[in-house]
Amino acid sequence: MKKRWVAGLAVSALFAGLLTGCGNSDNGGSGNADANANSNAGTNAGANAGTNKGGNSGQSGEAVNLRLYTYGTEEAYNWKATLGAYEQAHPGVTIELVQLSEKGDTMEATKKLDLAAASSEQIDVLMFSDAASYSQRVALGMAAPLDDFIAKEGYKPEEDYKVDTRLNGKVYALPGKFNPWYVLLNKDHLDEAGLAVPTDWTWDDYADYAKKLTKGEGANKRYGTYFHGPQNGGWMEYLKLKMENQPEGAEFLKPDGTSNLDDPNFRATLELRLRMEKEDQSSVPYADMISQKLAYRNQFFNQSASMLTIGSWMNTEIGGTDKVPLTFHVAVAPFPKNNKEDETGLTPVTTDYVAVSETSKHKQEAYDFVRWYTTEGQIVQGKNIPAWNGVKSEQVAGIIDTILSGTKNPELVDKASLVSTLMNSKASQIIAPTSYQAEVYKAINEEYEKLILGSQDIDQAVANAQKRVDEIIAANKK
């Protein structure tokens, strides 16, 4: 096992470039910022925490010490109160927190986790910040399968949680926080245009809203929407808009590693982006985003764009901050569907993948903690919206109140639309990333640039992207 980890360290370096979990950076890739809400939220639930989930821990009478390896900071994860609540409810079990990055840097934390595993340190519980880190380390044998524990407890993870964490038919982690993508709306602009806050809409509706919200010309023009990607092979969510709201096939590659670019929804996404920028002129030009290094926060909060499709790590900023103040009313709408009859709520999602170490000598106790932490423990923690379906709407509302209380003007936020959107969001199936994912992203990004900048048409863009991705796949099979 140790040899597999050591050999995997070189591979993990390739994935470092894919770890785009930096929601605090406008140009860093897919967001995965931690909510920075009041650290005392939810601790009142601690007295009774754990009575339903993970009830076997410490029952043998033997003292058990579990080591939890995490990138999560105290500020973002409220560890002292959370772990204290678990220990109080499970006498004989202690949770030793191993902080891998003082600043919550997921890339730094992942490198340290790999080194700890290669050094055979005692690891009982692991946390991964993204699907790439999770799937790669499952392939290296670092995480134990949880299916037997789940069967023993008698529940279905796909029903208990909003995020499907299965890889190759097995569950190796349970999801913690739940950060779905959604649409931020300038409600003042909507009111001005006579538009309602959408609760169930399509991309055609989105494009129609963007046209009606666009106003003015030249340097003072206000655009209906702003898309913050793709950029240098990052922020690729913006080239999968009509793929990501499907239960399966939300990625550029299929589960078997073959290209998924023949999916009509890939072409449809390119058509949507092309139509909104070139025909409707309702989205901020791609050339402006790249040449001016535009920041999505500024585009929305400065009211240069009326709608912003983005991840819900923005919950901690939606009410405005000292750096980026809020001066208008904000509402939230769900990620749009392709067709009216499609399932509502499917959207790109980031989460914490909480796993049991394959080398743990206390797998049952470690699983009990993981199960508790990803259910009642999320309420105790009070920092993020849980991926657990057992959370009630009033509990979500309470967490949102806590998060918004950390912003400058929470009264300007339409909390009802935010809670409703978060409660009804769910993730599509995870497709394990490949070691050459970055090459695939870069190739598709480059072909999109040629399309949007006018050097090739959409037929050429799709064909060239398919050709290049097929070549990348073939080269990596040798």
Side-chain angles (χ1 to χ4, degrees), residues 360-431:
S360 175
K361 295 180 181 179
H362 303 285
K363 287 188 176 65
Q364 179 66 61
E365 290 85 356
Y367 165 77
D368 290 339
F369 170 74
V370 168
R371 175 67 166 148
W372 175 87
Y373 173 74
T374 59
T375 53
E376 287 103 326
Q378 291 293 294
I379 305 300
V380 175
Q381 198 167 56
K383 285 292 190 176
N384 296 285
I385 305 305
W388 181 41
N389 281 324
V391 66
K392 299 177 182 178
S393 58
E394 59 267 25
Q395 291 172 307
V396 171
I399 295 172
I400 288 296
D401 280 337
T402 301
I403 294 173
L404 291 178
S405 69
T407 65
K408 302 297 290 185
N409 294 102
E411 74 280 358
L412 294 178
V413 178
D414 181 351
K415 192 182 78 171
S417 67
L418 174 59
V419 171
S420 174
T421 296
L422 294 172
M423 286 292 293
N424 292 311
S425 295
K426 47 189 171 290
S428 57
Q429 180 187 30
I430 293 174
I431 297 176

Side-chain angles (χ1 to χ4, degrees), residues 26-42:
D26 276 320
N27 297 304
S30 306
N32 190 23
D34 298 319
N36 292 316
N38 189 319
S39 64
N40 293 319

Side-chain angles (χ1 to χ4, degrees), residues 211-222:
K211 282 178 65 175
K212 292 176 178 177
L213 291 167
T214 299
K215 186 176 181 180
E217 296 291 340
N220 296 320
K221 181 174 181 176
R222 185 187 82 197

